[in-house]
């Protein structure tokens, strides 16, 4: 337990490095664009390849992969319904922004936050399952999230090309390659695995530094005054993971599957949703505020959930 606590605290202290680097001018806000590109195009794909190359496919692994994939699909379907109910109870005004708040409750940042935490705290076996969960998230972000944002509006026209284009990126390519390596039982040479691991290991600190830079430029004092937005954000980081834990705890699922499903639910709102909201002509500023607040809250809630999940499922 002490080891897990030290790992979790060490990861979240990296957010402080990014925060201070931005405040002192060592890494200005503009640097986030390049750090994100580094993450998406280079370090994360290498981390995915290394994780898949060190796994061995067996009946248990195949079963866990299917369970996480199906479980994540059910998770998003359930959160759709829960977010709708919460919005009806809150009666948020203006009503045109209710879909945006539904998205804040449902979307999870299992790329920038889920990948480094599952990798650094729980290891490659759990990181592999988080990658499987991320595949489902990608489809949600460019289909279900758009439907949510347009709640109460005329639905925007989405072609098949619009839905598939965002899925064409290096992280998805690496996932496909990794699955081929895993399923086919291909053994990569040790120097390639070692090189991929070293490059991929940069994902953890860079991801946390990106989060720190983002928080450094947020006016949290102003954002925290919106009571209904606060309720929405707390639903994201507390209600959703606690409900998920209550459901999966009694289910006949392997412990690694339970852990990943709950950890996934505990993650803050995905930053990708802000870009999607801008494209859809919705209130991207409100979504950015929700992303910032849930990320800020997760600095406290994610370490707690990580330690709890370790005690329950490891």
């Amino acid at each position: 337990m002490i080891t897990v606590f030290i790992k979790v605290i060490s990861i979240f202290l990296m957010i402080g490095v990014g925060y201070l680097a931005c405040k002192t001018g060592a890494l200005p806000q503009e640097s986030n664009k390049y750090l994100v590109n580094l993450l998406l195009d280079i370090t994360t794909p290498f981390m995915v390849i290394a994780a898949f190359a060190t796994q061995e496919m067996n009946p248990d692994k195949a079963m866990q992969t299917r369970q996480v994939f199906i479980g994540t699909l059910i998770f998003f379907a359930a959160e759709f319904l829960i977010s709708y109910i919460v919005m009806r109870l809150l009666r948020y005004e203006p009503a045109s922004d209710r879909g945006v708040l539904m998205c804040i409750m449902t979307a999870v940042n299992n790329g920038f936050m889920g990948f480094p935490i599952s990798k650094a705290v729980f290891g490659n076996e759990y990181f592999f399952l988080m990658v499987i969960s991320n595949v489902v998230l990608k489809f949600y972000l460019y289909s279900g999230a758009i439907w949510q944002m347009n709640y109460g509006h005329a639905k925007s026209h989405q072609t098949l090309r619009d839905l598939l284009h965002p899925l064409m990126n290096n992280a998805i390519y690496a996932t496909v390659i990794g699955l081929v390596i895993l399923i086919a039982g291909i053994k990569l040479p040790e120097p390639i695995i070692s090189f991929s691991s070293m490059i991929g290991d940069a994902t953890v600190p860079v991801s946390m530094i990106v989060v720190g830079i983002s928080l450094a430029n947020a006016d949290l004092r102003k954002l925290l005054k919106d009571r209904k937005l606060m309720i929405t954000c707390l639903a994201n980081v507390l209600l959703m993971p606690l409900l998920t834990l209550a459901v999966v705890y009694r289910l006949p699922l392997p412990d690694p599957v339970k852990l990943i499903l709950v950890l996934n639910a505990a993650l803050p709102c995905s930053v990708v949703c802000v870009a999607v909201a801008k494209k859809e002509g919705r209130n991207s500023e409100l979504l950015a505020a929700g992303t910032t607040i849930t990320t800020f809250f997760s600095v406290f809630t994610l370490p707690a959930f990580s330690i709890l999940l370790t005690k329950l499922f490891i």
Side-chain angles (χ1 to χ4, degrees):
M1 188 65 67
I2 295 297
T3 302
V4 173
F5 177 77
I6 293 172
K7 284 183 179 180
V8 172
I9 295 302
S10 297
I11 292 171
F12 280 87
L13 284 175
M14 295 177 191
I15 294 177
V17 173
Y19 183 92
L20 291 175
C22 186
K23 286 296 187 182
T24 58
L27 287 174
Q29 181 69 20
E30 296 74 27
S31 63
N32 246 9
K33 173 185 175 182
Y34 304 103
L35 291 175
V36 168
N37 289 340
L38 175 66
L39 285 171
L40 293 179
D41 295 333
I42 300 175
T43 67
T44 297
F46 275 108
M47 184 168 69
V48 170
I49 292 292
F52 277 68
T54 54
Q55 300 291 314
E56 288 188 7
M57 183 58 77
N58 53 52
D60 287 342
K61 180 70 68 179
M63 180 184 67
Q64 290 179 15
T65 300
R66 290 194 298 270
Q67 289 171 334
V68 167
F69 188 88
I70 295 171
T72 306
L73 283 174
I74 295 172
F75 165 78
F76 281 120
E79 287 211 338
F80 260 56
L81 178 60
I82 295 170
S83 66
Y84 175 76
I85 294 171
V86 172
M87 278 303 100
R88 291 296 296 267
L89 293 174
L90 283 179
R91 298 178 180 177
Y92 190 87
E93 295 297 337
S96 58
D97 285 341
R98 291 177 185 175
V100 171
L101 267 71
M102 287 167 61
C103 192
I104 291 173
M105 276 187 282
T106 308
V108 290
N109 193 357
N110 69 0
F112 288 156
M113 297 288 279
F115 280 9
I117 291 172
S118 59
K119 166 77 173 178
V121 178
F122 302 110
N124 272 349
E125 177 186 358
Y126 295 87
F127 170 64
F128 162 76
L129 295 176
M130 183 62 79
V131 172
I132 301 301
S133 180
N134 182 257
V135 173
V136 182
L137 171 70
K138 288 293 191 294
F139 281 100
Y140 157 75
L141 286 175
Y142 298 105
S143 55
I146 291 173
W147 184 89
Q148 281 182 309
M149 289 176 193
N150 285 286
Y151 171 71
H153 297 271
K155 203 171 182 181
S156 63
H157 179 65
Q158 289 286 308
T159 66
L160 181 62
R161 187 174 184 276
D162 291 331
L163 293 175
L164 294 180
H165 179 69
L167 301 176
M168 301 299 104
N169 58 68
N170 288 354
I172 292 295
Y173 297 151
T175 301
V176 173
I177 293 170
L179 283 170
V180 171
I181 292 172
L182 183 62
I183 294 171
I186 299 172
K187 300 295 183 182
L188 295 181
E190 184 58 37
I192 293 179
I193 296 177
S194 179
F195 172 77
S196 299
S197 297
M198 285 190 291
I199 298 294
D201 285 345
T203 302
V204 176
V206 175
S207 294
M208 296 298 101
I209 287 171
V210 165
V211 173
I213 293 173
S214 299
L215 290 177
N217 288 275
D219 189 351
L220 288 170
R221 187 175 301 176
K222 178 181 178 181
L223 295 177
L224 292 172
K225 292 180 180 179
D226 188 333
R227 183 177 62 86
K228 291 185 177 180
L229 177 60
M230 291 306 100
I231 294 173
T232 302
C233 294
L234 287 172
N236 172 284
V237 298
L238 285 177
L239 176 64
M240 299 304 187
L242 288 174
L243 286 176
T244 304
L245 176 60
V247 171
V248 305
Y249 186 75
R250 296 290 183 181
L251 291 178
L253 295 171
D255 285 345
V257 174
K258 292 180 180 180
L259 187 150
I260 287 300
L261 291 176
V262 178
L263 179 62
N264 187 63
L267 297 168
C269 181
S270 172
V271 295
V272 175
C273 284
V274 179
V276 176
K278 286 182 179 179
K279 181 181 177 182
E280 289 296 305
R282 297 296 165 248
N283 193 341
S284 59
E285 289 77 14
L286 179 62
L287 223 164
T291 300
T292 300
I293 295 168
T294 55
T295 301
F296 174 70
F297 285 164
S298 73
V299 173
F300 306 98
T301 59
L302 269 176
F305 273 110
S306 296
I307 294 170
L308 174 64
L309 293 175
T310 301
K311 186 174 182 179
L312 291 176
F313 302 126
I314 294 181

